[in-house]
Amino acid sequence: MIKTDVLILGGGLAGLSTAYHLNECGGLSSLVVEKNAAVGGTAGSVKQGGFVFDYTGHLLHLHDPYGKNLVLGLLRGNLAAHERSSWIYSRDVYTRYPFQANTYGLPSKVVEDCLAGFFKTIHRLDWRPLSPRPSFRDWSLRQFGAGISRHFMFPYNEKLWRTPLSRMTTEWQGRFVPKPAASEVLYGALADQKKFFGYNASFRYPKRGGIQVLPDALAARLKPGQIKTSSPVLSVDLRERVAVAQGLGEVGFSRLVNTLPLVDFLDLAAPFPAAVRAARAKLRYNTVYCLNLGVNRAALPEKHWVYFPEKKYPFYRVGCYSNFAAANAPQGTSSFYIEISRRAWEKADLPRLENAVLSGLRSCRILKSGDKLLSKFWMPIRCAYVVYDFERTQAVEAIFKALGKMGVESIGRYGGWKYSFMEETILDGKRCAERLAGRSQPARLSPGDAQAELKPLK
Ligand SMILES: Cc1cc2nc3c(=O)[nH]c(=O)nc-3n(C[C@H](O)[C@H](O)[C@H](O)COP(=O)(O)OP(=O)(O)OC[C@H]3O[C@@H](n4cnc5c(N)ncnc54)[C@H](O)[C@@H]3O)c2cc1C
């Protein structure tokens, strides 16, 4: 039987980062067990016919000094910085993101609705205070007013979350939904406001190789044999401290780090108290069906991605990989991801959906009738978005309390059952490694991880 101090389930960014930082801390042996042939999980890429496709847009937003230094060091020479060019397409018009600050160009009735509703949220004196834990629906009405809610916030978020917004909390939105000032809302209705709002106003992305180069670079820093790929974990006995992985057999461990979707981990590990099983039944998630396309001309110039709130389009977002990096597509072509969300239990009829997607892309003129599709394939992301409904927080707290008592760490976007991004996932792994190693001070950078300076692209 293989034995390790720390067994890490999953070789996505969370698992790789944990192993990397455990090595930095020293002292504990660790082994990463990954189901797929390649590392990276949702931060991976697939190559087909000269195109590089990610699991929909994966842009690097680096806010933390340590996270930034680490990523810049890992991808030195292979990162470009971009100013975000993100748009909303509704009423046959492109407006800038975020909708709430950029209604200029929409039909005047829509602009009037949006402004009237927004200013009512400021000047109305008879509002009852919002509850301390409001629904997303109530919060949106109070933050942005009825017009902005009706024309964007409600239809877009209903398409993404596939959950009544009155049953969703606002816990996920803090960093992700910008709130402009009244003057900005007004100015953005009168003129094309070329101002950046929100947490991701700029981003970095690899010049070559798609986002896969990031997990690959982390994996390359691990010790030989520290990652076992093509080895799905089949079961975990938490009492005996033994896991079984296909092709490896039994793996004995002292400490366990889970980065698989929490629901999957709770289904393959045992034993758990009844309270954990009951809490697990309350966890909900969405599947994203990503249709990847390679097109024989440079379509959608100068736009990185576009949000589609209207029901007549089956997709909620379309993005252009070849506008993140020219090397993502052969010269003279372009490549796209088209995102459609479904509840985990909903069946998706992909051939039918594909027809509806292609006809939607033609109707908004991203595709033209003579375009040739050089590449076309679906990339489902089974557990893509954790749904923040009113049951989630309590359920997650009960599960994490029990896991803590069993000496199990569960981290990352899906192990931690949260809405987060790649840098945060890498930092989750760092903090986890430090807890396991009994260290509180930050891990140092490896020699050679010096920060690379990047210039924005013109
Ligand atoms: C649609 C979408 C768009 C996103 N866009 C961005 C973005 O623009 N910027 C950004 O910073 N972040 C983005 N993210 C978030 C980013 O993908 C995550 O933060 C990060 O990749 C999560 O890494 P992880 O290791 O926690 O999980 P995962 O990447 O899911 O890693 C878990 C690993 O476990 C493996 N596994 C599963 N089951 C088993 C098993 N039984 N045995 C062994 N291994 C198993 C999986 O194969 C996978 O490799 C996006 C996510 C999604 C879904």
Side-chain angles (χ1 to χ4, degrees):
M1 178 165 78
I2 302 171
K3 286 200 173 155
T4 180
D5 292 328
V6 183
L7 177 62
I8 301 168
L9 308 184
L13 288 178
L16 296 172
S17 169
T18 307
Y20 170 82
H21 288 100
L22 276 170
N23 293 354
E24 292 294 288
C25 293
L28 293 172
S29 65
S30 66
L31 182 70
V32 180
V33 180
E34 164 58 43
K35 152 179 98 163
N36 292 333
V39 295
T42 43
S45 312
V46 172
K47 292 183 181 165
Q48 198 188 75
F51 293 96
V52 182
F53 298 105
D54 299 335
Y55 287 79
T56 88
H58 266 75
L59 302 326
L60 281 160
H61 311 293
L62 303 172
H63 303 294
D64 175 86
Y66 176 84
K68 187 171 170 182
N69 272 356
L70 178 62
V71 172
L72 296 188
L74 286 168
L75 300 185
R76 196 172 6 186
N78 189 19
L79 270 182
H82 302 259
E83 282 184 353
R84 179 189 69 203
S85 172
S86 58
W87 299 78
I88 290 132
Y89 188 82
S90 62
R91 310 277 176 154
D92 296 328
V93 176
Y94 281 106
T95 50
R96 287 178 197 276
Y97 172 88
F99 182 90
Q100 53 272 30
N102 295 292
T103 50
Y104 177 71
L106 285 165
S108 42
K109 179 72 187 93
V110 175
V111 179
E112 182 198 335
D113 270 4
C114 292
L115 287 187
F118 186 83
F119 285 99
K120 217 178 202 180
T121 66
I122 296 173
H123 297 300
R124 208 173 131 169
L125 300 173
D126 58 344
W127 289 117
R128 270 187 307 152
L130 267 186
S131 81
R133 215 173 156 225
S135 70
F136 181 80
R137 189 187 154 76
D138 290 348
W139 174 86
S140 172
L141 284 170
R142 194 61 66 87
Q143 286 282 305
F144 302 116
I148 291 171
S149 294
R150 192 169 65 247
H151 294 292
F152 182 77
M153 288 294 165
F154 290 172
Y156 177 75
N157 282 292
E158 277 160 6
K159 256 187 178 179
L160 171 63
W161 298 104
R162 315 284 298 181
T163 302
L165 301 179
S166 55
R167 283 204 233 136
M168 286 192 60
T169 70
T170 59
E171 290 153 332
W172 57 275
Q173 62 72 31
R175 291 168 293 179
F176 298 102
V177 184
K179 164 103 200 233
S183 56
E184 292 166 331
V185 172
L186 184 58
Y187 186 69
L190 297 172
D192 182 10
Q193 177 162 227
K194 291 177 185 139
K195 185 169 176 182
F196 287 107
F197 294 88
Y199 90 114
N200 58 356
S202 63
F203 62 85
R204 287 178 168 85
Y205 185 82
K207 293 178 196 165
R208 293 172 302 279
I211 200 63
Q212 179 75 52
V213 297
L214 177 59
D216 283 352
L218 257 182
R221 302 289 178 106
L222 301 189
K223 296 174 186 163
Q226 203 179 353
I227 312 171
K228 302 287 183 199
T229 52
S230 304
S231 306
V233 177
L234 305 174
S235 63
V236 181
D237 185 330
L238 292 168
R239 208 173 273 147
E240 297 298 323
R241 314 303 274 177
V242 173
V244 176
Q246 199 172 296
L248 293 181
E250 291 190 337
V251 184
F253 58 86
S254 306
R255 303 295 302 271
L256 187 69
V257 178
N258 169 58
T259 74
L260 275 46
L262 192 55
V263 285
D264 296 351
F265 175 69
L266 295 173
D267 290 345
L268 60 75
F272 288 115
V276 170
R277 298 255 162 243
R280 183 255 174 263
K282 293 182 176 160
L283 302 181
R284 313 250 182 276
Y285 62 92
N286 281 1
T287 296
V288 165
Y289 292 91
C290 168
L291 181 65
N292 288 309
L293 295 180
V295 181
N296 69 334
R297 69 179 171 92
L300 202 70
E302 289 164 18
K303 291 188 172 63
H304 289 126
W305 64 89
V306 183
Y307 300 95
F308 286 82
E310 289 169 316
K311 272 215 173 96
K312 64 180 174 177
Y313 298 102
F315 35 84
Y316 62 88
R317 190 166 51 183
V318 174
C320 187
Y321 295 117
S322 45
N323 288 345
F324 302 149
N328 277 347
Q331 214 179 2
T333 69
S334 50
S335 54
F336 295 91
Y337 55 92
I338 296 104
E339 297 174 88
I340 296 121
S341 173
R342 291 282 181 272
R343 299 306 303 269
W345 39 263
E346 276 181 87
K347 278 252 173 297
D349 177 347
L350 294 187
R352 217 169 134 191
L353 203 49
E354 192 169 305
N355 284 337
V357 165
L358 294 177
S359 119
L361 290 174
R362 282 186 203 107
S363 110
C364 67
R365 294 178 296 280
I366 289 180
L367 286 185
K368 291 183 185 162
S369 54
D371 283 343
K372 254 206 193 118
L373 299 182
L374 306 174
S375 192
K376 171 167 66 85
F377 71 103
W378 285 99
M379 213 183 213
I381 309 170
R382 184 180 67 88
C383 183
Y385 285 91
V386 164
V387 174
Y388 279 72
D389 59 17
F390 278 99
E391 297 193 299
R392 176 197 160 274
T393 305
Q394 214 185 354
V396 167
E397 279 171 8
I399 292 165
F400 278 84
K401 202 166 152 199
L403 292 182
K405 284 188 190 153
M406 295 169 165
V408 176
E409 296 268 357
S410 192
I411 62 155
R413 173 160 160 138
Y414 303 106
W417 206 249
K418 59 184 176 174
Y419 187 11
S420 72
F421 51 100
M422 292 184 285
E423 183 190 56
E424 185 171 289
T425 301
I426 291 172
L427 294 174
D428 282 356
K430 171 179 180 282
R431 288 186 213 106
C432 175
E434 288 167 358
R435 284 193 296 276
L436 292 170
R439 270 229 207 155
S440 52
Q441 66 271 50
R444 64 181 170 77
L445 288 174
S446 290
D449 277 345
Q451 181 172 340
E453 270 311 315
L454 293 166
K455 292 199 174 67
L457 284 183
K458 292 284 171 242

